Amino acid sequence: MTYAELDAAATTAARRLIALGVGRGDRVATTLAPGLEFAALVHALARLGTALVPLNTRLPATEQRRQYELAGARLLVDSPLMNGFEVQLPAAGGLDPDAVHTVLFTSGTSGEPKPVELTVGNHEASAAASASVFELEPGDRWLVPLPLFHVGGLAVLVRTARAGATAVLPRRFDAHAVTAGLEAG
């Protein structure tokens, strides 16, 4: 998919979110699988000044519910938001570097997992630091075997978008598919 197609999908998702009453400062949780829908949601929420709360899809429903509540989410997106809606989008502008972009959960090594807020600026600084090391270019492809509810996986979406590179998002981790993907380049 091209960035123009991603932009169109993010615009559609943003319109749908507005129609559902989502606005600046809200938090939206998701259990979407990696792919276009997830990437569109990430960019749609950033445009709206709304924080993404990617829930660990490997957790039981009771723990997902606990994290949803701890993060202060007001909506769960568990299916694509690609249906068209004719809702006015807010005026375009730069993203606020201090706005909460994502709420991720720690591993819980010292007890229960805790929510951690990452701002637009945090993600941008991480992407800039990675760019200085990896020198991503528009023709590059980055295989993302990490889950997108983990900061390592989610950060690749920001890094590749910043560079105009391609993020390859397998629906689930499969060691053989990852090996084949790496060998194919």
Side-chain angles (χ1 to χ4, degrees):
M1 122 163 319
T2 67
Y3 276 102
E5 292 168 326
L6 177 59
D7 179 60
T11 298
T12 300
R15 286 190 170 123
R16 170 71 184 198
L17 289 162
I18 291 169
L20 292 170
V22 172
R24 184 168 299 282
D26 286 338
R27 293 170 181 210
V28 172
T30 188
T31 54
L32 287 173
L36 164 62
E37 297 87 6
F38 192 101
L41 180 63
V42 169
H43 293 287
L45 291 173
R47 290 177 184 179
L48 298 177
T50 304
L52 170 70
V53 182
L55 298 175
N56 184 336
T57 55
R58 298 174 186 162
L59 293 175
T62 53
E63 182 58 20
Q64 286 181 354
R65 180 69 175 178
R66 180 185 155 293
Q67 290 187 357
Y68 176 94
E69 291 170 356
L70 273 175
R74 69 176 304 261
L75 177 70
L76 173 66
V77 175
D78 59 0
S79 61
L81 296 170
M82 300 308 167
N83 297 331
F85 279 79
E86 294 302 320
V87 175
Q88 184 66 35
L89 289 174
L95 300 180
D96 176 2
D98 295 324
V100 177
H101 184 278
T102 51
V103 179
L104 301 171
F105 280 82
T106 66
S107 63
T109 54
S110 64
E112 295 292 323
K114 296 167 189 63
V116 175
E117 297 178 349
L118 296 175
T119 66
V120 169
N122 293 144
H123 282 288
E124 180 58 28
S126 173
S130 292
S132 71
V133 174
F134 297 119
E135 300 177 15
L136 279 175
E137 297 178 359
D140 291 340
R141 296 169 49 87
W142 193 320
L143 179 64
V144 188
L146 294 169
L148 298 180
F149 55 78
H150 185 279
V151 68
L154 187 59
V156 175
L157 290 182
V158 178
R159 290 176 190 148
T160 53
R162 184 177 190 269
T166 300
V168 179
L169 303 170
R171 288 288 195 191
R172 59 178 166 58
F173 180 78
D174 177 305
H176 297 291
V178 168
T179 302
L182 290 172
E183 289 173 352

